[in-house]
Amino acid sequence: MSFASLGLIDPLLKNAQRLNYQTPTPIQVKAIPAVLDGRDVMASAQTGTGKTAGFALPLLQRLVQQGPRVSSNRARVLVLVPTRELAEQVLQSFVDYGEGLDLRMTAAYGGVSINPQMMKLRKGVDVLVATPGRLLDLNRQNAVQFDQIETLVLDEADRMLDLGFARELDAVFEALPAARQTLLFSATFTDEIRAMAASILRSPVDISVSPPNVTASKIRQWVVTVDKRNKPGLFMHLVAEKKWTHALVFVKTRDGADYLSAMLDEAGYAVDTIHGDKPQPARLRALERFKTGEVHMLVATDVAARGLDIDALPLVINVDLPIKPQDYVHRIGRTGRAGSSGVAVSLVCADEAPQLAAIEALIGQTLRREEVPGFEAEHRVPQTSATGQIIKKPKKPKKPKKPKKHKALQAPEAVQGIGKKQQPQGGKPATGGEGTSLSGPNPFSVTRPRSKPVGKPPAGSRKPADKPVGGRSKRPR
Ligand code: AMP
């Protein structure tokens, strides 16, 4: 099967060739002819399957071959995406695939000034990639009207609902011309998505290139069980021991992201963070630095989980499991892309057993477990099964005979020791153990241990675990 046999025109074939796309991926084989035919499409596709080209290539062709030129403050193809990062990325794909075609394209999303977006829309655009909230703002201000929309694409529809865009989406559906083509892409198909599909699609071509809700088979996945408070220590230990130099690291909270990033930084790794509280330009810059290899580690919260296209990423580390099992699929979908292999490691504590069980039920397999000597969990992670059951209640941990001095409890100094021994190539040298700037609280130990604390704390040191013990100095970003 070749791109030419799918009916694509020369400039698009040349662009695919320039990008070194030799053969179409399975979703492209199915989606491209259907979209060229003007059909509605409902596609269940994992991340990394090539779905963006699956809709962008045929839509670009339709834009150059048919329809009137776009009028001012109008768009002809509207692509809705859940996040700003994805908006930039999808726009870039359209620009790459459509090089040499005389088409105008832009992206619009919140968190940045609306005025430049209004200016770009003034002459009208052929392709508008937008997040739902900002799109409605622009529409209310008459910067964009919908009467010339020929095609609506919903990319990562499940994520849009997860992020609470249901009302905005309904408002957009209401405002669009009824006679249009609609393409719906979603990695997971919940009842909510099916209901939405039923209400907006007309006799869609149903495309599923792999069983829904299943993680890419080329990804090697396993779990390391550990107590929550020891996660940062174990993380740094694994990074150093396994010589992991390039990874996307997921954590639950912004504080967690900053904490791990500071640890990596102190150990000499080139690192950046990406989370929802960071201003948009800083988030895009962090992503760009990671993509270009300027930084080797990117610590992210779920805001970065979906759709980000990072070439040849070998490793995803979940320092925290996501709340929603679908997000696990999206997170680890950052690796093993377009047929390459990848590794996904998750550090799991006892509290996360329900999340682990839900993930295993979703992907239909029990994840292999490991323990790392020196980091064995005192609070055992209950056994789970691929049916989503938690098999046993955790045994009460035995009271240790003597206080156990745990490497990870000494973080960050212990971590620096590890970092110094195992310098990543190209990283800057670790700073000395003394005078470290990493003296803030460990955000992974905000819940009190269930067993009694071992050993008697020295007088005057009985601070709650979640109270700062002297502020961490601010690092330049
Ligand atoms: P997507 O699923 O659209 O995010 O695409 C995932 C990755 O696959 C991106 O890096 C694309 O550039 C790449 N890709 C898409 N289509 C092809 C193809 N036919 N051959 C090789 N790589 C592709």
Side-chain angles (χ1 to χ4, degrees):
M1 183 62 75
S2 67
F3 278 106
S5 67
L6 297 175
L8 292 173
I9 54 175
D10 242 26
L12 295 172
L13 295 177
K14 286 209 181 95
N15 289 341
Q17 214 169 17
R18 179 175 45 82
L19 294 166
N20 206 18
Y21 293 4
Q22 315 275 354
T23 49
T25 64
I27 193 163
Q28 291 162 1
V29 169
K30 292 183 179 164
I32 290 172
V35 177
L36 283 176
D37 268 359
R39 299 283 307 271
D40 281 7
V41 165
M42 164 162 149
S44 151
Q46 289 173 253
T47 48
T49 51
K51 68 183 160 72
T52 317
F55 62 80
L57 286 169
L59 288 178
L60 287 163
Q61 179 153 334
R62 283 172 65 82
L63 284 167
V64 287
Q65 284 187 332
Q66 47 193 278
R69 279 197 75 81
V70 70
S71 316
S72 55
N73 298 107
R74 306 287 194 286
R76 293 172 64 198
V77 165
L78 171 63
V79 186
L80 287 179
V81 293
T83 63
R84 306 146 185 196
E85 285 82 4
L86 193 56
E88 283 292 351
Q89 192 175 295
V90 170
L91 172 67
Q92 192 53 51
S93 297
F94 268 96
V95 169
D96 289 343
Y97 301 145
E99 198 180 286
L101 306 176
D102 182 24
L103 296 171
R104 276 200 294 273
M105 318 184 197
T106 195
Y109 43 79
V112 293
S113 166
I114 200 167
N115 290 336
Q117 296 172 0
M118 294 172 103
M119 299 281 282
K120 285 199 179 137
L121 286 164
R122 207 165 272 173
K123 281 189 185 165
V125 293
D126 296 285
V127 178
L128 172 59
V129 186
T131 52
R134 177 54 60 97
L135 177 76
L136 289 172
D137 275 354
L138 287 162
N139 178 242
R140 274 191 288 269
Q141 302 190 41
N142 278 330
V144 65
Q145 289 166 35
F146 297 139
D147 52 335
Q148 236 184 322
I149 299 273
E150 297 158 21
T151 304
L152 167 69
V153 182
L154 296 170
D155 194 12
E156 314 242 351
D158 49 348
R159 182 64 168 166
M160 283 196 274
L161 293 185
D162 284 353
L163 290 175
F165 284 132
R167 289 226 322 255
E168 282 88 348
L169 287 178
D170 282 342
V172 175
F173 301 154
E174 282 275 299
L176 292 183
R180 59 160 201 266
Q181 180 183 35
T182 305
L183 317 176
L184 186 152
F185 292 81
S186 192
T188 49
F189 267 80
T190 56
D191 291 346
E192 222 180 341
I193 294 285
R194 286 183 198 287
M196 184 168 87
S199 71
I200 60 168
L201 298 175
R202 290 187 196 170
S203 333
V205 176
D206 203 334
I207 298 177
S208 175
V209 287
S210 53
N213 300 344
V214 176
T215 47
S217 56
K218 288 215 172 167
I219 303 173
R220 274 196 301 131
Q221 310 165 54
W222 73 93
V223 155
V224 187
T225 55
V226 62
D227 286 335
K228 185 175 177 179
R229 67 180 186 281
N230 289 341
K231 280 186 173 189
L234 172 61
F235 167 72
M236 292 304 294
H237 173 78
L238 287 172
V239 164
E241 193 194 62
K242 306 226 181 245
K243 299 194 169 51
W244 285 336
T245 53
H246 204 118
L248 180 56
V249 183
F250 282 105
V251 293
K252 196 161 64 184
T253 63
R254 179 179 52 85
D255 284 349
D258 285 342
Y259 190 79
L260 286 193
S261 148
M263 282 180 117
L264 285 165
D265 184 44
E266 295 235 341
Y269 294 86
V271 60
D272 209 334
T273 58
I274 181 167
H275 50 64
D277 287 356
K278 250 189 160 176
Q280 180 59 10
R283 283 159 64 174
L284 289 173
R285 199 166 51 243
L287 184 63
E288 205 45 43
R289 293 177 76 205
F290 187 58
K291 278 178 155 185
T292 57
E294 190 187 330
V295 297
H296 300 151
M297 302 272 189
L298 186 63
V299 188
T301 57
D302 268 317
V303 77
R306 300 260 178 142
L308 300 184
D309 176 23
I310 300 159
D311 280 342
L313 179 63
L315 173 65
V316 168
I317 308 171
N318 294 309
V319 173
D320 295 312
L321 286 182
I323 303 292
K324 287 181 179 250
Q326 287 88 349
D327 281 338
Y328 177 83
V329 178
H330 292 292
R331 285 181 179 189
I332 77 164
R334 306 301 95 223
T335 181
R337 310 209 79 185
S340 63
S341 61
V343 170
V345 183
S346 304
L347 312 191
V348 178
C349 66
D351 291 351
E352 292 173 308
Q355 284 141 268
L356 179 61
I359 287 165
E360 291 176 334
L362 180 70
I363 63 175
Q365 59 174 295
T366 317
L367 294 172
R368 182 165 63 80
R369 291 183 178 207
E370 267 185 13
E371 275 201 326
V372 172
F375 294 90
E376 296 89 347
E378 275 180 32
H379 306 272
R380 294 191 61 78
V381 181
Q383 285 302 322
T384 47
S385 80
T387 55
Q389 307 289 311
I390 296 179
I391 296 170
K392 274 192 237 157
K393 291 222 159 192
K395 281 186 198 150
K396 274 203 168 167
K398 281 186 193 156
K399 208 174 170 183
K401 282 186 191 120
K402 53 179 182 178
K404 196 175 168 190
K405 216 172 176 203
H406 209 294
K407 242 196 228 170
L409 287 174
Q410 302 166 5
E413 289 82 355
V415 161
Q416 286 180 357
I418 295 161
K420 262 196 270 186
K421 265 186 247 145
Q422 304 277 352
Q423 273 301 309
Q425 280 187 351
K428 59 180 170 148
T431 51
E434 282 174 25
T436 171
S437 62
L438 235 191
S439 53
N442 173 359
F444 295 88
S445 60
V446 286
T447 50
R448 281 189 167 284
R450 271 175 260 162
S451 59
K452 281 186 190 163
V454 285
K456 208 176 165 190
S461 70
R462 307 193 72 203
K463 289 186 189 230
D466 53 351
K467 277 262 177 75
V469 191
R472 198 172 76 216
S473 66
K474 279 219 168 96
R475 298 181 315 117
R477 297 208 183 276

